[in-house]
Amino acid sequence: MATRHTRIVERALTRLKLRQLRLLVAVGQHGSIQNAAHDLNISQPAATKMIQDLEVDFEVKLFDRTNRGVVPTVFGESLIRHGKLIFAQVSNAAQELDDLNEGNSGRVVVGTLLAASPSLLPMAIELLLEDRPKVAIKIVEGTNEVLMPGLLSGEIDMVVGRLPSHRHRENITQEKFFDERVLAVVGTQHPLAQRSNVSFEQLKPFGWLLPPVETTLRRQTDQFFVRQDQYTPRTAIESVSYLANRSLLRSHDFVGLMPAHVAALDIDSGLLAPVDWVVPFGAGPVGVSYRGKQSLSPAGSALLKSLHAASGDIECSQPRA
């Protein structure tokens, strides 16, 4: 006797149409069957019938009706997510075929966080280009909150940088490259730039450049500030832009928090200076997140290999405060 899972898979393989999935995703986006039907140029009765057929085939209720339209159930949200992934894979396949037709050796879309931007990812790309000089590479910068949904939906092949601690671990594979410390850094003109054995009391009078509120490092920073008698910086600038942060540190007496190897090049070149204060939080794993090796194209697998090679050189080069 066929199991429920077997029945559903058989129906999906024999009856499911991409047009149904397009409608499903559109209804989720619009919150309205009527608007989704108009968007796809089909009649509302036909759209309603298509949704009903999906519910029969998958044996679940996909949407709840409300006064303001329709809202996906947990089953609807799950199927919408898988539908987006299917369309992303189709788009990726078409793009890869187009790249191959133009003589490129594949395509890879990589998300990067601050911890990977200055050295790890550029070094890995350099290694990749030695092996695949015509590979097409797209780099998307952001925080985990921005990049991980793109990874899960298939728009991004992998995300490189600080590994997410909790919320994004489901349905992804993580590989750790190394653990990294966080440094407090300042401009070379800062009063504490050459001071030894700096205490947090000495840091309090200055303004701070802080990571975005949705990041793990910011949460750890805020928790530390609370433990320091509810300390509030007199000036607090929230920024994920390394170039802006470096410029502000060099023109103002601010204190910034950066992963050690991110600041290494500017410290070595004399543009920034490490504060002689051991940051009591922020250490964490740097690595790569992806949806499993079966999801990677040949170009993606080659970049993963290059990341492993590049990380070995970086692990031993982190500066000490």
Side-chain angles (χ1 to χ4, degrees):
M1 182 177 178
T3 64
R4 181 173 182 273
H5 174 264
T6 303
R7 292 197 310 270
I8 292 174
V9 170
E10 183 64 24
R11 290 173 192 154
L13 291 175
T14 58
R15 297 167 56 174
L16 183 63
K17 298 179 177 63
L18 289 180
R19 194 179 190 193
Q20 288 176 294
L21 287 181
R22 286 186 65 195
L23 174 64
L24 178 75
V25 173
V27 173
Q29 291 173 336
H30 290 285
S32 163
I33 294 178
Q34 180 179 1
N35 292 342
H38 182 268
D39 193 32
L40 298 180
N41 197 30
I42 59 179
S43 68
Q44 183 174 350
T48 300
K49 180 65 165 54
M50 290 168 67
I51 295 297
Q52 290 172 344
D53 288 344
L54 281 174
E55 292 179 326
V56 170
D57 287 343
F58 285 96
E59 301 181 13
V60 292
K61 185 177 183 181
L62 297 174
F63 294 96
D64 286 323
R65 293 186 177 275
T66 70
N67 294 334
R68 304 178 67 178
V70 293
V71 178
T73 64
V74 291
F75 306 108
E77 290 178 348
S78 177
L79 193 56
I80 287 170
R81 177 169 57 83
H82 284 287
K84 289 180 178 179
L85 185 57
I86 289 171
F87 290 124
Q89 291 298 94
V90 170
S91 176
N92 291 342
Q95 182 65 63
E96 188 169 334
L97 292 176
D98 191 39
D99 291 333
L100 292 171
N101 190 49
E102 293 179 0
N104 297 328
S105 53
R107 177 182 178 86
V108 60
V109 181
V110 56
T112 178
L113 297 117
L114 178 61
S117 298
S119 51
L120 174 60
L121 185 57
M123 287 174 61
I125 289 176
E126 185 174 345
L127 293 173
L128 176 65
L129 291 175
E130 291 177 3
D131 183 52
R132 292 171 172 259
K134 293 185 177 180
V135 67
I137 304 169
K138 180 180 180 180
I139 299 174
V140 183
E141 188 175 28
T143 64
N144 271 320
E145 295 297 320
V146 173
L147 297 177
M148 285 299 167
L151 176 65
L152 291 172
S153 69
E155 299 170 271
I156 296 174
D157 296 312
M158 62 182 70
V159 175
V160 185
R162 181 68 65 95
L163 295 176
S165 55
H166 298 293
R167 285 172 290 175
H168 301 291
R169 285 184 175 177
E170 188 178 358
N171 301 319
I172 63 173
T173 298
Q174 293 182 342
E175 293 187 23
K176 171 185 167 182
F177 295 147
F178 51 83
D179 285 308
E180 179 155 62
R181 299 175 297 107
V182 168
L183 296 180
V185 294
V186 294
T188 54
Q189 83 292 340
H190 196 285
L192 300 181
Q194 305 301 325
R195 190 77 60 88
S196 299
N197 299 318
V198 174
S199 68
F200 184 69
E201 289 296 321
Q202 292 173 292
L203 291 168
K204 282 185 174 181
F206 300 99
W208 288 72
L209 300 180
L210 299 174
V213 292
E214 66 269 18
T215 63
T216 299
L217 180 56
R218 177 57 181 276
R219 290 190 290 272
Q220 293 173 336
T221 304
D222 289 344
Q223 291 166 4
F224 174 76
F225 284 171
V226 168
R227 293 195 298 270
Q228 307 306 308
D229 298 325
Q230 304 286 329
Y231 168 71
T232 300
R234 70 175 188 182
T235 303
I237 298 176
E238 180 181 307
S239 170
V240 74
S241 170
Y242 182 79
L243 292 178
N245 290 351
R246 182 174 64 181
S247 179
L248 287 168
L249 288 171
R250 286 171 55 78
S251 59
H252 295 77
D253 288 341
F254 292 143
V255 179
L257 295 172
M258 295 184 186
H261 88 264
V262 170
L265 292 177
D266 282 339
I267 290 174
D268 290 343
S269 63
L271 295 176
L272 298 177
V275 178
D276 189 17
W277 173 64
V278 177
V279 181
F281 55 88
V286 172
V288 60
S289 302
Y290 54 99
R291 297 186 308 279
K293 291 187 177 179
Q294 74 283 351
S295 73
L296 296 177
S297 66
S301 296
L303 178 57
L304 180 61
K305 180 180 178 181
S306 297
L307 283 165
H308 278 281
S311 65
D313 295 331
I314 291 176
E315 186 174 8
C316 300
S317 63
Q318 299 186 48
R320 295 187 179 277

